[in-house]
Amino acid sequence: MMILESERFIAEDLERLEQAIADRLLEEPKATRERLARDHQIARFVDRFQDQSKRLLELQRDADGSRAKEIESISRGDPFEEFYRQLAATKDFHRRYPNEPVENLERAYKRRAVEGAEGGMNGIDIDNMFTGEELNGRFLDMTQNHTEYLNLPGVKRITYLQYLSIFDKFDGFTRNQKGNDQYFQYLNNITDYLESFLRRTRPLSNPDRIMEGFDNEFEKDWEEGKITVFPALKKAAGPQKESTPSTANANDSTTYCDVCIKQFGNQKAYENHLPGRKHKKALAAKEELEREKQQEKENEMTDGVTPDPEKPKLIVSSSKLKERAIGHREFRVQKLAELLSKEREDTKVNVERKQSLTERERQMELEALLRESTTDPSSSKKDSDNDSENEDKIYNPLKLPLAWDGKPIPYWLYKLHGLGVEFPCEICGNFVYMGRRAFDKHFNEWRHTHGLRCLGITNTTLFREITKIDEAVKLWEKIQTDKKKEKQLQESVTEMEDEEGNVLPYQVWLDLKKQGLL
């Protein structure tokens, strides 16, 4: 194909791509599945638009001068001679390739009457893009990440619902846990999943630029020293702590033993573990390994082998690179979790909702989802015109809240959660909460916390179940008064010493002396 014809073809392709994108943006599908299919199709059009623009710029730069030669051949000499020469070349091409298909740009980007009859729009299969738990990108499916988290050494067993609240918090891991390869693989998997979910659910938000922005922010914070990956070094159980568990408790409040790489349920179990046989054996093995390393260094010095000065630098640089890689993954997980906060909260609500369903209700829900996914879009589009009025009018005489499918929830579920009971809160500006669950949840929300701070109350954790302003003010005054009395009592305590040197409070000492016991 001639260069000028190639430029004309690309220019036409760009115009039709622009028109196709505009036509699809004018429509706003109601169903989540159709909206995702439309967004992915627009994203493909945008990528093709960028590729074609690059091709057009390369042709117009004319690096080899062929474009200038073609223009010169047309502008000089007999124009009919050049025309017939190009016409003969075109006929010869089609004579040699008679079945060569011709790309019709008008039909390539035209919206068809039935799109997605085979489960996708122009080859975009939304059903196979998401798992059943994700429900076309509405919820997160982190069950596999939850299983990997439970398999990490030294972590407590938590439920999937609890994991959804803490998967982006890494402060509870020790240095040995974070230095484990299994932890690094866990971070890689969770980062890959969240990034994949972002690309599948928000194809038009330019995920590449978002991830690049995260990387730039991490580089800036890392250079400024704002990111701390490993916690401060703490000796879990040294030789001096072996016989005194109380000393270990005073110096290290954690219940994780770095020597044995084991997490304990409470502080008492951790203290009882320190003088045990297994801990002593692991501690002795660790000390023996350190002595062997020290002996190797001394042997190198006595043999006259000069130690390599670059070796310690390489060790430090490799550990720093590992720390930076871990910090980069943790930073990405936190930023992606913040970006997907809405889907995260919806997932937690959905998990709670599924836990309250019976087996029969879960089966009915799965059947409804299966029917929805296997329904022919063409038939549903034909029936939508006839049933649009009936769908808009939902029979809801009891004014029940709507579920995720836009229909009223069952009345038994409405009664089970007590959604008909009103809970007013005077501290929140007489805001009324429907149901006990919403009422209990609002004590940790900004509205209630802001109302308490306006009253001068700083410690908001002590004021649960208190909704009246006068009750909150009286309780706060009582707390402040008790604190002052306790402080005065501590300051006015007088201590006495008996003949044996025992220190006793003055009142106890006086009572014992009156009884003749001193």
Side-chain angles (χ1 to χ4, degrees):
M1 187 182 292
M2 296 179 296
I3 296 178
L4 294 180
E5 175 61 22
S6 300
E7 292 182 0
R8 186 209 63 79
F9 179 81
I10 294 175
E12 180 186 359
D13 193 16
L14 293 176
E15 289 185 2
R16 294 193 180 277
L17 279 170
E18 186 177 354
Q19 184 62 40
I21 293 173
D23 292 341
R24 284 154 180 78
L25 287 176
L26 288 175
E27 298 181 359
E28 189 62 34
K30 295 182 179 180
T32 307
R33 180 173 174 274
E34 296 177 0
R35 181 184 59 79
L36 283 173
R38 183 206 64 173
D39 291 349
H40 279 279
Q41 192 176 23
I42 292 176
R44 289 189 180 183
F45 288 165
V46 171
D47 293 340
R48 180 174 173 82
F49 190 93
Q50 294 176 347
D51 295 339
Q52 293 290 70
S53 299
K54 292 177 182 178
R55 283 185 57 195
L56 184 59
L57 288 175
E58 289 294 331
L59 290 175
Q60 291 181 348
R61 286 195 184 98
D62 195 18
D64 55 353
S66 56
R67 182 173 181 270
K69 292 179 181 178
E70 184 174 336
I71 294 175
E72 184 179 358
S73 64
I74 295 175
S75 58
R76 293 185 178 182
D78 188 3
F80 289 101
E81 181 181 352
E82 181 65 22
F83 170 76
Y84 285 116
R85 187 185 65 80
Q86 295 180 6
L87 179 61
T90 304
K91 289 181 177 180
D92 181 63
F93 175 81
H94 288 286
R95 189 182 300 110
R96 285 186 285 119
Y97 306 101
N99 298 324
E100 182 74 16
V102 179
E103 186 175 3
N104 190 350
L105 296 179
E106 185 176 359
R107 296 182 59 188
Y109 308 121
K110 186 178 181 181
R111 289 187 62 86
R112 295 169 178 79
V114 179
E115 271 189 328
E118 299 296 331
M121 297 177 66
N122 288 356
I124 302 173
D125 194 355
I126 299 298
D127 294 334
N128 293 331
M129 192 178 294
F130 298 96
T131 63
E133 289 290 331
E134 290 174 336
L135 199 61
N136 292 333
R138 293 183 58 192
F139 309 118
L140 296 170
D141 183 11
M142 304 187 70
T143 52
Q144 183 66 29
N145 303 113
H146 177 230
T147 305
E148 293 176 355
Y149 173 83
L150 295 179
N151 291 330
L152 293 177
V155 299
K156 294 182 179 179
R157 297 192 65 84
I158 59 176
T159 62
Y160 180 55
L161 187 60
Q162 293 172 331
Y163 174 75
L164 290 173
S165 302
I166 58 97
F167 72 84
D168 59 335
K169 297 178 177 61
F170 307 101
D171 299 335
F173 292 96
T174 62
R175 175 180 289 267
N176 278 4
Q177 286 176 308
K178 289 193 174 185
N180 194 357
D181 294 337
Q182 190 176 354
Y183 176 79
F184 188 71
Q185 184 63 34
Y186 163 74
L187 284 180
N188 281 334
N189 293 338
I190 193 173
T191 305
D192 294 342
Y193 172 74
L194 293 176
E195 184 177 351
S196 170
F197 187 83
L198 176 67
R199 294 181 182 277
R200 287 178 289 150
T201 55
R202 304 180 187 180
L204 297 182
S205 61
N206 200 346
D208 292 330
R209 182 171 295 179
I210 292 176
M211 302 308 297
E212 184 180 354
F214 290 164
D215 294 341
N216 294 335
E217 186 177 354
F218 171 78
E219 293 290 344
K220 182 180 178 182
D221 293 347
W222 180 263
E223 293 295 334
E224 296 176 359
K226 295 180 179 179
I227 298 177
T228 303
V229 179
F230 293 142
L233 284 172
K234 294 181 180 180
K235 295 183 180 179
Q240 70 276 11
K241 300 180 184 179
E242 183 178 345
S243 59
T244 57
S246 59
T247 308
N249 187 20
N251 294 337
D252 191 2
S253 60
T254 62
T255 58
Y256 180 76
C257 180
D258 288 339
V259 178
C260 301
I261 314 178
K262 187 177 181 181
Q263 180 73 38
F264 295 90
N266 50 51
Q267 191 67 25
K268 190 67 176 176
Y270 173 72
E271 293 175 357
N272 294 334
H273 160 75
L274 295 181
R277 184 184 302 173
K278 290 184 178 180
H279 177 76
K280 290 181 179 179
K281 187 176 180 181
L283 187 61
K286 185 177 180 181
E287 292 175 353
E288 182 66 24
L289 184 61
E290 291 178 355
R291 282 196 296 268
E292 290 178 359
K293 291 182 180 179
Q294 185 66 25
Q295 187 66 29
E296 289 178 1
K297 292 181 181 179
E298 293 178 357
N299 293 338
E300 290 180 358
M301 296 295 294
T302 55
D303 294 342
V305 179
T306 57
D308 189 1
E310 298 295 329
K311 193 173 182 180
K313 295 181 181 179
L314 291 175
I315 296 174
V316 173
S317 62
S318 63
S319 62
K320 197 68 176 176
L321 284 175
K322 186 174 183 179
E323 181 181 358
R324 185 181 182 279
I326 294 174
H328 180 250
R329 302 302 192 282
E330 292 179 351
F331 186 83
R332 271 198 172 188
V333 171
Q334 291 171 349
K335 285 297 181 180
L336 288 170
E338 182 181 350
L339 189 63
L340 300 172
S341 58
K342 182 180 181 300
E343 288 81 359
R344 182 181 183 178
E345 293 298 324
D346 292 344
T347 304
K348 291 194 285 187
V349 173
N350 184 53
V351 171
E352 285 185 295
R353 182 186 66 84
K354 283 190 174 182
Q355 291 176 352
S356 64
L357 295 179
T358 62
E359 185 64 28
R360 180 173 175 272
E361 289 172 336
R362 292 175 186 169
Q363 192 65 28
M364 292 174 60
E365 183 178 344
L366 288 175
E367 291 176 358
L369 292 174
L370 183 61
R371 285 196 302 269
E372 182 181 352
S373 61
T374 56
T375 302
D376 190 1
S378 60
S379 61
S380 61
K381 190 172 183 179
K382 292 177 182 178
D383 297 338
S384 61
D385 297 335
N386 301 328
D387 299 338
S388 58
E389 296 181 359
N390 297 331
E391 291 178 358
D392 294 339
K393 296 179 182 179
I394 299 175
Y395 184 69
N396 190 12
L398 298 178
K399 306 296 182 182
L400 300 176
L402 300 181
W404 59 273
D405 56 355
K407 297 179 182 179
I409 64 174
Y411 184 69
W412 66 266
L413 187 62
Y414 175 80
K415 296 292 289 183
L416 176 65
H417 291 288
L419 299 179
V421 183
E422 296 182 355
F423 292 90
C425 182
E426 188 178 352
I427 297 176
C428 298
N430 293 323
F431 192 87
V432 178
Y433 296 91
M434 303 302 295
R436 185 72 191 182
R437 178 185 171 189
F439 177 71
D440 292 338
K441 189 178 178 181
H442 98 280
F443 287 107
N444 298 326
E445 294 178 350
W446 67 270
R447 184 184 285 111
H448 191 81
T449 306
H450 178 69
L452 289 175
R453 288 178 179 173
C454 291
L455 298 175
I457 299 172
T458 55
N459 191 0
T460 59
T461 57
L462 302 175
F463 289 81
R464 293 188 67 88
E465 303 295 335
I466 295 179
T467 58
K468 300 292 184 181
I469 294 178
D470 54 347
E471 295 178 358
V473 172
K474 290 179 182 178
L475 179 58
W476 182 248
E477 291 176 353
K478 185 177 183 305
I479 291 173
Q480 296 300 318
T481 304
D482 293 344
K483 285 184 177 180
K484 289 180 181 178
K485 289 181 179 180
E486 186 179 353
K487 187 177 181 181
Q488 291 175 358
L489 286 175
Q490 291 177 355
E491 293 176 353
S492 61
V493 169
T494 304
E495 295 180 344
M496 302 295 292
E497 185 176 350
D498 60 2
E499 296 177 354
E500 297 179 357
N502 299 321
V503 178
L504 302 171
Y506 176 74
Q507 191 64 34
V508 176
W509 178 84
L510 188 61
D511 292 341
L512 295 175
K513 187 175 182 182
K514 287 180 180 179
Q515 296 176 11
L517 299 176
L518 293 179

